[in-house]
mmCIF file of all heavy atoms in Angstrom:
data_model
loop_
_atom_site.group_PDB
_atom_site.id
_atom_site.type_symbol
_atom_site.label_atom_id
_atom_site.label_comp_id
_atom_site.label_asym_id
_atom_site.label_seq_id
_atom_site.Cartn_x
_atom_site.Cartn_y
_atom_site.Cartn_z
ATOM 1 N N ARG J 8 0.834 -1.198 0.000
ATOM 2 C CA ARG J 8 0.000 0.000 0.000
ATOM 3 C C ARG J 8 0.870 1.250 0.000
ATOM 4 O O ARG J 8 1.976 1.255 0.560
ATOM 5 C CB ARG J 8 -0.922 0.032 1.232
ATOM 6 C CG ARG J 8 -1.999 -1.016 1.254
ATOM 7 C CD ARG J 8 -2.903 -0.852 2.462
ATOM 8 N NE ARG J 8 -3.890 -1.916 2.564
ATOM 9 C CZ ARG J 8 -5.077 -1.882 1.977
ATOM 10 N NH1 ARG J 8 -5.423 -0.826 1.251
ATOM 11 N NH2 ARG J 8 -5.924 -2.890 2.105
ATOM 12 N N THR J 9 0.347 2.286 -0.628
ATOM 13 C CA THR J 9 1.014 3.582 -0.580
ATOM 14 C C THR J 9 0.731 4.240 0.767
ATOM 15 O O THR J 9 0.009 3.710 1.605
ATOM 16 C CB THR J 9 0.518 4.477 -1.727
ATOM 17 O OG1 THR J 9 -0.909 4.693 -1.578
ATOM 18 C CG2 THR J 9 0.778 3.817 -3.069
ATOM 19 N N THR J 10 1.313 5.419 0.970
ATOM 20 C CA THR J 10 1.100 6.117 2.238
ATOM 21 C C THR J 10 -0.353 6.531 2.437
ATOM 22 O O THR J 10 -0.808 6.672 3.580
ATOM 23 C CB THR J 10 2.000 7.356 2.289
ATOM 24 O OG1 THR J 10 1.750 8.165 1.116
ATOM 25 C CG2 THR J 10 3.473 6.948 2.323
ATOM 26 N N ASP J 11 -1.098 6.718 1.364
ATOM 27 C CA ASP J 11 -2.512 7.077 1.488
ATOM 28 C C ASP J 11 -3.437 5.855 1.403
ATOM 29 O O ASP J 11 -4.656 6.004 1.260
ATOM 30 C CB ASP J 11 -2.908 8.095 0.423
ATOM 31 C CG ASP J 11 -2.644 7.593 -0.986
ATOM 32 O OD1 ASP J 11 -2.021 6.507 -1.123
ATOM 33 O OD2 ASP J 11 -3.041 8.272 -1.945
ATOM 34 N N GLY J 12 -2.871 4.631 1.484
ATOM 35 C CA GLY J 12 -3.682 3.428 1.575
ATOM 36 C C GLY J 12 -4.067 2.796 0.264
ATOM 37 O O GLY J 12 -4.845 1.830 0.267
ATOM 38 N N GLN J 13 -3.543 3.266 -0.867
ATOM 39 C CA GLN J 13 -3.891 2.697 -2.161
ATOM 40 C C GLN J 13 -3.041 1.451 -2.433
ATOM 41 O O GLN J 13 -1.840 1.438 -2.192
ATOM 42 C CB GLN J 13 -3.670 3.730 -3.276
ATOM 43 C CG GLN J 13 -4.543 4.959 -3.152
ATOM 44 C CD GLN J 13 -6.025 4.633 -3.293
ATOM 45 O OE1 GLN J 13 -6.403 3.798 -4.128
ATOM 46 N NE2 GLN J 13 -6.852 5.284 -2.496
ATOM 47 N N LEU J 14 -3.699 0.413 -2.934
ATOM 48 C CA LEU J 14 -2.981 -0.814 -3.255
ATOM 49 C C LEU J 14 -2.141 -0.638 -4.514
ATOM 50 O O LEU J 14 -2.523 0.068 -5.448
ATOM 51 C CB LEU J 14 -3.961 -1.966 -3.474
ATOM 52 C CG LEU J 14 -4.577 -2.639 -2.245
ATOM 53 C CD1 LEU J 14 -5.600 -3.676 -2.681
ATOM 54 C CD2 LEU J 14 -3.510 -3.280 -1.387
ATOM 55 N N TYR J 15 -0.992 -1.309 -4.531
ATOM 56 C CA TYR J 15 -0.202 -1.405 -5.751
ATOM 57 C C TYR J 15 0.544 -2.733 -5.731
ATOM 58 O O TYR J 15 0.721 -3.369 -4.688
ATOM 59 C CB TYR J 15 0.769 -0.227 -5.902
ATOM 60 C CG TYR J 15 1.910 -0.223 -4.923
ATOM 61 C CD1 TYR J 15 3.127 -0.846 -5.217
ATOM 62 C CD2 TYR J 15 1.799 0.414 -3.693
ATOM 63 C CE1 TYR J 15 4.179 -0.836 -4.320
ATOM 64 C CE2 TYR J 15 2.844 0.430 -2.789
ATOM 65 C CZ TYR J 15 4.038 -0.198 -3.119
ATOM 66 O OH TYR J 15 5.070 -0.191 -2.209
ATOM 67 N N PHE J 16 0.968 -3.170 -6.908
ATOM 68 C CA PHE J 16 1.654 -4.449 -7.070
ATOM 69 C C PHE J 16 3.066 -4.180 -7.565
ATOM 70 O O PHE J 16 3.266 -3.425 -8.525
ATOM 71 C CB PHE J 16 0.917 -5.344 -8.075
ATOM 72 C CG PHE J 16 -0.467 -5.735 -7.639
ATOM 73 C CD1 PHE J 16 -1.545 -4.878 -7.854
ATOM 74 C CD2 PHE J 16 -0.701 -6.938 -7.008
ATOM 75 C CE1 PHE J 16 -2.817 -5.233 -7.460
ATOM 76 C CE2 PHE J 16 -1.977 -7.302 -6.607
ATOM 77 C CZ PHE J 16 -3.026 -6.452 -6.834
ATOM 78 N N GLU J 17 4.027 -4.812 -6.915
ATOM 79 C CA GLU J 17 5.432 -4.669 -7.286
ATOM 80 C C GLU J 17 5.940 -6.015 -7.787
ATOM 81 O O GLU J 17 5.966 -6.998 -7.037
ATOM 82 C CB GLU J 17 6.256 -4.195 -6.083
ATOM 83 C CG GLU J 17 7.713 -3.910 -6.413
ATOM 84 C CD GLU J 17 8.484 -3.450 -5.192
ATOM 85 O OE1 GLU J 17 8.598 -4.255 -4.241
ATOM 86 O OE2 GLU J 17 8.964 -2.309 -5.187
ATOM 87 N N TYR J 18 6.354 -6.047 -9.048
ATOM 88 C CA TYR J 18 6.798 -7.297 -9.668
ATOM 89 C C TYR J 18 8.291 -7.229 -9.933
ATOM 90 O O TYR J 18 8.799 -6.250 -10.497
ATOM 91 C CB TYR J 18 6.050 -7.549 -10.972
ATOM 92 C CG TYR J 18 6.298 -8.913 -11.568
ATOM 93 C CD1 TYR J 18 5.784 -10.049 -10.958
ATOM 94 C CD2 TYR J 18 7.047 -9.067 -12.731
ATOM 95 C CE1 TYR J 18 6.005 -11.310 -11.498
ATOM 96 C CE2 TYR J 18 7.265 -10.323 -13.280
ATOM 97 C CZ TYR J 18 6.753 -11.440 -12.651
ATOM 98 O OH TYR J 18 6.977 -12.683 -13.180
ATOM 99 N N ARG J 19 8.989 -8.271 -9.519
ATOM 100 C CA ARG J 19 10.435 -8.322 -9.682
ATOM 101 C C ARG J 19 10.792 -9.019 -10.986
ATOM 102 O O ARG J 19 10.551 -10.210 -11.170
ATOM 103 C CB ARG J 19 11.074 -9.073 -8.509
ATOM 104 C CG ARG J 19 12.596 -8.999 -8.499
ATOM 105 C CD ARG J 19 13.184 -9.769 -7.334
ATOM 106 N NE ARG J 19 13.199 -11.209 -7.573
ATOM 107 C CZ ARG J 19 12.400 -12.072 -7.005
ATOM 108 N NH1 ARG J 19 11.472 -11.664 -6.151
ATOM 109 N NH2 ARG J 19 12.478 -13.372 -7.272
ATOM 110 N N LYS J 20 11.387 -8.269 -11.899
ATOM 111 C CA LYS J 20 11.885 -8.819 -13.149
ATOM 112 C C LYS J 20 13.384 -9.051 -13.035
ATOM 113 O O LYS J 20 14.020 -8.667 -12.052
ATOM 114 C CB LYS J 20 11.577 -7.861 -14.309
ATOM 115 C CG LYS J 20 10.094 -7.613 -14.535
ATOM 116 C CD LYS J 20 9.867 -6.584 -15.623
ATOM 117 C CE LYS J 20 10.432 -7.025 -16.951
ATOM 118 N NZ LYS J 20 10.174 -6.035 -18.025
ATOM 119 N N ASN J 21 13.954 -9.666 -14.063
ATOM 120 C CA ASN J 21 15.395 -9.893 -14.055
ATOM 121 C C ASN J 21 16.173 -8.585 -14.153
ATOM 122 O O ASN J 21 17.329 -8.514 -13.720
ATOM 123 C CB ASN J 21 15.781 -10.809 -15.221
ATOM 124 C CG ASN J 21 15.188 -12.202 -15.076
ATOM 125 O OD1 ASN J 21 14.957 -12.671 -13.960
ATOM 126 N ND2 ASN J 21 14.932 -12.854 -16.199
ATOM 127 N N THR J 22 15.548 -7.563 -14.694
ATOM 128 C CA THR J 22 16.225 -6.279 -14.880
ATOM 129 C C THR J 22 15.866 -5.251 -13.821
ATOM 130 O O THR J 22 16.360 -4.129 -13.873
ATOM 131 C CB THR J 22 15.883 -5.715 -16.270
ATOM 132 O OG1 THR J 22 14.454 -5.605 -16.401
ATOM 133 C CG2 THR J 22 16.407 -6.646 -17.363
ATOM 134 N N GLY J 23 14.988 -5.597 -12.883
ATOM 135 C CA GLY J 23 14.597 -4.630 -11.865
ATOM 136 C C GLY J 23 13.160 -4.850 -11.429
ATOM 137 O O GLY J 23 12.580 -5.933 -11.610
ATOM 138 N N TYR J 24 12.559 -3.817 -10.857
ATOM 139 C CA TYR J 24 11.204 -3.879 -10.318
ATOM 140 C C TYR J 24 10.265 -3.039 -11.175
ATOM 141 O O TYR J 24 10.646 -1.994 -11.711
ATOM 142 C CB TYR J 24 11.165 -3.385 -8.874
ATOM 143 C CG TYR J 24 11.851 -4.319 -7.903
ATOM 144 C CD1 TYR J 24 13.219 -4.213 -7.664
ATOM 145 C CD2 TYR J 24 11.138 -5.303 -7.235
ATOM 146 C CE1 TYR J 24 13.857 -5.071 -6.770
ATOM 147 C CE2 TYR J 24 11.761 -6.164 -6.341
ATOM 148 C CZ TYR J 24 13.117 -6.043 -6.123
ATOM 149 O OH TYR J 24 13.744 -6.890 -5.249
ATOM 150 N N VAL J 25 9.010 -3.525 -11.280
ATOM 151 C CA VAL J 25 7.976 -2.832 -12.034
ATOM 152 C C VAL J 25 6.782 -2.622 -11.110
ATOM 153 O O VAL J 25 6.353 -3.561 -10.421
ATOM 154 C CB VAL J 25 7.549 -3.627 -13.282
ATOM 155 C CG1 VAL J 25 6.415 -2.910 -14.012
ATOM 156 C CG2 VAL J 25 8.727 -3.837 -14.211
ATOM 157 N N ILE J 26 6.259 -1.404 -11.064
ATOM 158 C CA ILE J 26 5.082 -1.077 -10.267
ATOM 159 C C ILE J 26 3.847 -1.167 -11.161
ATOM 160 O O ILE J 26 3.800 -0.542 -12.229
ATOM 161 C CB ILE J 26 5.197 0.313 -9.628
ATOM 162 C CG1 ILE J 26 6.464 0.403 -8.775
ATOM 163 C CG2 ILE J 26 3.964 0.622 -8.792
ATOM 164 C CD1 ILE J 26 6.490 -0.578 -7.622
ATOM 165 N N LEU J 27 2.862 -1.938 -10.741
ATOM 166 C CA LEU J 27 1.633 -2.124 -11.513
ATOM 167 C C LEU J 27 0.438 -1.664 -10.701
ATOM 168 O O LEU J 27 0.372 -1.891 -9.488
ATOM 169 C CB LEU J 27 1.457 -3.599 -11.894
ATOM 170 C CG LEU J 27 2.562 -4.203 -12.778
ATOM 171 C CD1 LEU J 27 2.422 -5.718 -12.836
ATOM 172 C CD2 LEU J 27 2.513 -3.615 -14.172
ATOM 173 N N ARG J 28 -0.509 -1.031 -11.360
ATOM 174 C CA ARG J 28 -1.728 -0.569 -10.702
ATOM 175 C C ARG J 28 -2.725 -1.722 -10.563
ATOM 176 O O ARG J 28 -2.661 -2.698 -11.299
ATOM 177 C CB ARG J 28 -2.354 0.561 -11.505
ATOM 178 C CG ARG J 28 -1.459 1.790 -11.688
ATOM 179 C CD ARG J 28 -2.108 2.756 -12.664
ATOM 180 N NE ARG J 28 -2.325 2.132 -13.969
ATOM 181 C CZ ARG J 28 -2.974 2.705 -14.972
ATOM 182 N NH1 ARG J 28 -3.485 3.920 -14.807
ATOM 183 N NH2 ARG J 28 -3.124 2.082 -16.122
ATOM 184 N N PRO J 29 -3.659 -1.632 -9.625
ATOM 185 C CA PRO J 29 -4.642 -2.713 -9.464
ATOM 186 C C PRO J 29 -5.460 -2.987 -10.721
ATOM 187 O O PRO J 29 -5.831 -4.144 -10.972
ATOM 188 C CB PRO J 29 -5.532 -2.211 -8.318
ATOM 189 C CG PRO J 29 -4.669 -1.275 -7.549
ATOM 190 C CD PRO J 29 -3.774 -0.615 -8.564
ATOM 191 N N GLU J 30 -5.748 -1.948 -11.515
ATOM 192 C CA GLU J 30 -6.529 -2.171 -12.730
ATOM 193 C C GLU J 30 -5.731 -2.875 -13.822
ATOM 194 O O GLU J 30 -6.301 -3.280 -14.846
ATOM 195 C CB GLU J 30 -7.084 -0.850 -13.267
ATOM 196 C CG GLU J 30 -6.023 0.207 -13.512
ATOM 197 C CD GLU J 30 -5.858 1.132 -12.322
ATOM 198 O OE1 GLU J 30 -6.130 0.697 -11.187
ATOM 199 O OE2 GLU J 30 -5.463 2.298 -12.542
ATOM 200 N N ASP J 31 -4.423 -3.033 -13.627
ATOM 201 C CA ASP J 31 -3.587 -3.728 -14.601
ATOM 202 C C ASP J 31 -3.276 -5.161 -14.186
ATOM 203 O O ASP J 31 -2.457 -5.823 -14.837
ATOM 204 C CB ASP J 31 -2.270 -2.964 -14.811
ATOM 205 C CG ASP J 31 -2.495 -1.591 -15.433
ATOM 206 O OD1 ASP J 31 -3.466 -1.452 -16.200
ATOM 207 O OD2 ASP J 31 -1.719 -0.672 -15.135
ATOM 208 N N ILE J 32 -3.878 -5.643 -13.105
ATOM 209 C CA ILE J 32 -3.572 -6.968 -12.582
ATOM 210 C C ILE J 32 -4.867 -7.744 -12.345
ATOM 211 O O ILE J 32 -5.815 -7.231 -11.753
ATOM 212 C CB ILE J 32 -2.777 -6.874 -11.258
ATOM 213 C CG1 ILE J 32 -1.366 -6.373 -11.531
ATOM 214 C CG2 ILE J 32 -2.718 -8.220 -10.549
ATOM 215 C CD1 ILE J 32 -0.497 -7.355 -12.318
ATOM 216 N N LEU J 33 -4.896 -8.970 -12.830
ATOM 217 C CA LEU J 33 -5.921 -9.937 -12.447
ATOM 218 C C LEU J 33 -5.347 -10.760 -11.304
ATOM 219 O O LEU J 33 -4.419 -11.553 -11.509
ATOM 220 C CB LEU J 33 -6.291 -10.832 -13.628
ATOM 221 C CG LEU J 33 -7.128 -12.082 -13.308
ATOM 222 C CD1 LEU J 33 -8.472 -11.709 -12.716
ATOM 223 C CD2 LEU J 33 -7.288 -12.952 -14.551
ATOM 224 N N HIS J 34 -5.856 -10.555 -10.112
ATOM 225 C CA HIS J 34 -5.340 -11.233 -8.922
ATOM 226 C C HIS J 34 -6.422 -12.138 -8.363
ATOM 227 O O HIS J 34 -7.509 -11.678 -8.014
ATOM 228 C CB HIS J 34 -4.897 -10.205 -7.871
ATOM 229 C CG HIS J 34 -4.389 -10.840 -6.608
ATOM 230 N ND1 HIS J 34 -4.390 -10.193 -5.388
ATOM 231 C CD2 HIS J 34 -3.870 -12.080 -6.372
ATOM 232 C CE1 HIS J 34 -3.889 -10.995 -4.469
ATOM 233 N NE2 HIS J 34 -3.576 -12.146 -5.037
ATOM 234 N N ILE J 35 -6.109 -13.439 -8.271
ATOM 235 C CA ILE J 35 -7.004 -14.420 -7.673
ATOM 236 C C ILE J 35 -6.345 -14.903 -6.387
ATOM 237 O O ILE J 35 -5.421 -15.732 -6.439
ATOM 238 C CB ILE J 35 -7.275 -15.611 -8.609
ATOM 239 C CG1 ILE J 35 -7.656 -15.132 -10.011
ATOM 240 C CG2 ILE J 35 -8.346 -16.513 -8.027
ATOM 241 C CD1 ILE J 35 -8.965 -14.410 -10.086
ATOM 242 N N PRO J 36 -6.757 -14.409 -5.226
ATOM 243 C CA PRO J 36 -6.150 -14.886 -3.977
ATOM 244 C C PRO J 36 -6.823 -16.155 -3.480
ATOM 245 O O PRO J 36 -8.023 -16.360 -3.666
ATOM 246 C CB PRO J 36 -6.384 -13.720 -3.009
ATOM 247 C CG PRO J 36 -7.649 -13.087 -3.501
ATOM 248 C CD PRO J 36 -7.696 -13.302 -5.002
ATOM 249 N N GLY J 37 -6.028 -16.997 -2.841
ATOM 250 C CA GLY J 37 -6.580 -18.176 -2.200
ATOM 251 C C GLY J 37 -7.008 -17.867 -0.780
ATOM 252 O O GLY J 37 -7.243 -16.709 -0.415
ATOM 253 N N LEU J 38 -7.111 -18.908 0.037
ATOM 254 C CA LEU J 38 -7.491 -18.728 1.428
ATOM 255 C C LEU J 38 -6.418 -17.924 2.154
ATOM 256 O O LEU J 38 -5.238 -18.260 2.112
ATOM 257 C CB LEU J 38 -7.675 -20.090 2.096
ATOM 258 C CG LEU J 38 -8.061 -20.075 3.572
ATOM 259 C CD1 LEU J 38 -9.438 -19.465 3.760
ATOM 260 C CD2 LEU J 38 -8.011 -21.483 4.145
ATOM 261 N N GLY J 39 -6.824 -16.846 2.803
ATOM 262 C CA GLY J 39 -5.884 -15.993 3.516
ATOM 263 C C GLY J 39 -6.502 -15.414 4.767
ATOM 264 O O GLY J 39 -7.643 -15.721 5.130
ATOM 265 N N PHE J 40 -5.735 -14.553 5.424
ATOM 266 C CA PHE J 40 -6.170 -13.973 6.684
ATOM 267 C C PHE J 40 -6.691 -12.551 6.536
ATOM 268 O O PHE J 40 -7.383 -12.051 7.415
ATOM 269 C CB PHE J 40 -5.016 -13.968 7.695
ATOM 270 C CG PHE J 40 -4.552 -15.344 8.075
ATOM 271 C CD1 PHE J 40 -3.253 -15.561 8.487
ATOM 272 C CD2 PHE J 40 -5.417 -16.429 8.024
ATOM 273 C CE1 PHE J 40 -2.819 -16.833 8.839
ATOM 274 C CE2 PHE J 40 -4.994 -17.699 8.371
ATOM 275 C CZ PHE J 40 -3.688 -17.896 8.781
ATOM 276 N N ASP J 41 -6.334 -11.871 5.449
ATOM 277 C CA ASP J 41 -6.731 -10.474 5.307
ATOM 278 C C ASP J 41 -7.599 -10.229 4.088
ATOM 279 O O ASP J 41 -8.010 -9.099 3.842
ATOM 280 C CB ASP J 41 -5.493 -9.570 5.244
ATOM 281 C CG ASP J 41 -4.535 -9.949 4.127
ATOM 282 O OD1 ASP J 41 -4.884 -10.849 3.338
ATOM 283 O OD2 ASP J 41 -3.439 -9.362 4.051
ATOM 284 N N GLY J 42 -7.896 -11.244 3.292
ATOM 285 C CA GLY J 42 -8.743 -11.073 2.121
ATOM 286 C C GLY J 42 -8.037 -10.500 0.917
ATOM 287 O O GLY J 42 -8.663 -10.344 -0.133
ATOM 288 N N LEU J 43 -6.747 -10.189 1.044
ATOM 289 C CA LEU J 43 -6.002 -9.598 -0.063
ATOM 290 C C LEU J 43 -4.979 -10.563 -0.638
ATOM 291 O O LEU J 43 -4.829 -10.655 -1.848
ATOM 292 C CB LEU J 43 -5.297 -8.318 0.395
ATOM 293 C CG LEU J 43 -6.216 -7.155 0.795
ATOM 294 C CD1 LEU J 43 -5.391 -5.991 1.307
ATOM 295 C CD2 LEU J 43 -7.083 -6.731 -0.373
ATOM 296 N N VAL J 44 -4.260 -11.258 0.202
ATOM 297 C CA VAL J 44 -3.222 -12.177 -0.229
ATOM 298 C C VAL J 44 -3.501 -13.542 0.380
ATOM 299 O O VAL J 44 -3.755 -13.649 1.586
ATOM 300 C CB VAL J 44 -1.820 -11.683 0.183
ATOM 301 C CG1 VAL J 44 -0.756 -12.703 -0.196
ATOM 302 C CG2 VAL J 44 -1.515 -10.351 -0.479
ATOM 303 N N GLY J 45 -3.479 -14.572 -0.453
ATOM 304 C CA GLY J 45 -3.700 -15.925 0.032
ATOM 305 C C GLY J 45 -2.407 -16.577 0.492
ATOM 306 O O GLY J 45 -1.304 -16.172 0.094
ATOM 307 N N TYR J 46 -2.539 -17.578 1.329
ATOM 308 C CA TYR J 46 -1.391 -18.317 1.817
ATOM 309 C C TYR J 46 -1.317 -19.667 1.117
ATOM 310 O O TYR J 46 -2.332 -20.287 0.809
ATOM 311 C CB TYR J 46 -1.458 -18.498 3.329
ATOM 312 C CG TYR J 46 -1.258 -17.209 4.089
ATOM 313 C CD1 TYR J 46 -2.057 -16.889 5.171
ATOM 314 C CD2 TYR J 46 -0.280 -16.307 3.699
ATOM 315 C CE1 TYR J 46 -1.885 -15.701 5.859
ATOM 316 C CE2 TYR J 46 -0.096 -15.126 4.380
ATOM 317 C CZ TYR J 46 -0.900 -14.819 5.462
ATOM 318 O OH TYR J 46 -0.723 -13.640 6.130
ATOM 319 N N SER J 47 -0.111 -20.130 0.903
ATOM 320 C CA SER J 47 0.113 -21.340 0.136
ATOM 321 C C SER J 47 -0.340 -22.576 0.895
ATOM 322 O O SER J 47 0.027 -22.762 2.060
ATOM 323 C CB SER J 47 1.599 -21.462 -0.204
ATOM 324 O OG SER J 47 1.893 -22.750 -0.697
ATOM 325 N N PRO J 48 -1.111 -23.469 0.263
ATOM 326 C CA PRO J 48 -1.424 -24.747 0.909
ATOM 327 C C PRO J 48 -0.171 -25.570 1.182
ATOM 328 O O PRO J 48 -0.111 -26.313 2.161
ATOM 329 C CB PRO J 48 -2.341 -25.443 -0.108
ATOM 330 C CG PRO J 48 -2.884 -24.349 -0.966
ATOM 331 C CD PRO J 48 -1.813 -23.306 -1.018
ATOM 332 N N ILE J 49 0.825 -25.453 0.318
ATOM 333 C CA ILE J 49 2.077 -26.183 0.517
ATOM 334 C C ILE J 49 2.767 -25.701 1.782
ATOM 335 O O ILE J 49 3.292 -26.488 2.579
ATOM 336 C CB ILE J 49 3.001 -26.000 -0.701
ATOM 337 C CG1 ILE J 49 2.316 -26.492 -1.982
ATOM 338 C CG2 ILE J 49 4.319 -26.730 -0.487
ATOM 339 C CD1 ILE J 49 2.012 -27.957 -1.989
ATOM 340 N N ALA J 50 2.784 -24.376 1.994
ATOM 341 C CA ALA J 50 3.440 -23.830 3.175
ATOM 342 C C ALA J 50 2.684 -24.179 4.444
ATOM 343 O O ALA J 50 3.290 -24.475 5.477
ATOM 344 C CB ALA J 50 3.570 -22.309 3.035
ATOM 345 N N MET J 51 1.358 -24.135 4.387
ATOM 346 C CA MET J 51 0.571 -24.437 5.562
ATOM 347 C C MET J 51 0.687 -25.899 5.982
ATOM 348 O O MET J 51 0.579 -26.223 7.165
ATOM 349 C CB MET J 51 -0.908 -24.097 5.310
ATOM 350 C CG MET J 51 -1.171 -22.616 5.193
ATOM 351 S SD MET J 51 -0.744 -21.750 6.716
ATOM 352 C CE MET J 51 -1.160 -20.077 6.284
ATOM 353 N N ALA J 52 0.897 -26.786 5.040
ATOM 354 C CA ALA J 52 0.978 -28.219 5.339
ATOM 355 C C ALA J 52 2.373 -28.746 5.060
ATOM 356 O O ALA J 52 2.543 -29.891 4.637
ATOM 357 C CB ALA J 52 -0.057 -28.982 4.517
#
């Protein structure tokens, strides 16, 4: 999140980092604790 609470996505490429806006990302989260990011079933088990 930015300082004013807006979500953004930061993607790490081989050449550096790219900032993407929410309208530029299709995000499907799995089961999580905050409703924004899901946790891995592999990690949980």
Side-chain angles (χ1 to χ4, degrees):
R8 292 183 184 272
T9 61
T10 55
D11 58 353
Q13 297 296 321
L14 282 175
Y15 70 91
F16 296 83
E17 185 180 63
Y18 189 70
R19 188 181 78 254
K20 299 176 61 178
N21 295 331
T22 56
Y24 291 87
V25 177
I26 303 298
L27 299 168
R28 300 172 301 174
E30 55 266 28
D31 295 329
I32 290 292
L33 167 62
H34 178 204
I35 311 293
L38 179 65
F40 296 153
D41 57 5
L43 294 176
V44 176
Y46 291 137
S47 168
I49 302 296
M51 291 298 180

